[in-house]
Amino acid sequence: MTTTLVIIDAANVVGSVPDGWWRDRRGAAERLRDRLAEHGVPGAEGPVEIVLVVEGAARGVASVPGVRVDAAPGSGDDRITELAAEAVGRACLVVTADRELRRRVGELGARVAGPRTVRGPR
């Protein structure tokens, strides 16, 4: 069984809940990373490789076992699209609510899911 690449749009997922994330963008990304490391991606079947794409103030977030953090040098959406393009021929799931990004990665063959997939309880 091949490993599914799961690409998480960190800014979009943490921004989907108005819990004060904007006061500490890096901390919000770290909490998401830690939740992913502990719980994985609910509903994902088989082995997964989780990549959390961060941008802006969250660029300093480090990888942990089970979650690779990829700091986008520019646009997070562009980096996510690049990663999805590199995954052609491999199962790929992109987690975001961004409609344009969903369209872009969908054209590359990636499946898409909304932030609730990984957001967890409020």
Side-chain angles (χ1 to χ4, degrees):
M1 177 175 273
T2 61
T3 302
T4 298
L5 176 63
V6 180
I7 306 168
I8 312 289
D9 180 351
N12 188 270
V13 171
V14 299
S16 68
V17 177
D19 62 359
W21 60 264
W22 52 89
R23 291 187 293 269
D24 183 11
R25 294 169 193 260
R26 182 177 175 158
E30 288 172 338
R31 287 188 297 278
L32 174 58
R33 176 207 58 200
D34 294 346
R35 186 167 48 249
L36 291 165
E38 183 176 345
H39 301 290
V41 178
E45 294 182 20
V48 296
E49 174 188 357
I50 300 173
V51 179
L52 181 66
V53 176
V54 298
E55 60 187 332
R59 280 197 183 101
V61 174
S63 297
V64 296
V67 180
R68 176 169 59 95
V69 177
D70 189 308
S75 161
D77 291 359
D78 289 346
R79 182 62 184 141
I80 290 166
T81 301
E82 289 172 7
L83 290 168
E86 292 169 6
V88 170
R90 175 181 181 191
C92 179
L93 171 66
V94 175
V95 179
T96 185
D98 182 300
R99 287 185 185 154
E100 175 61 14
L101 179 57
R102 291 169 73 102
R103 182 196 63 75
R104 289 170 65 185
V105 299
E107 289 176 353
L108 296 169
R111 292 183 304 121
V112 293
R116 288 183 182 160
T117 305
V118 298
R119 190 173 61 204
R122 289 186 172 189

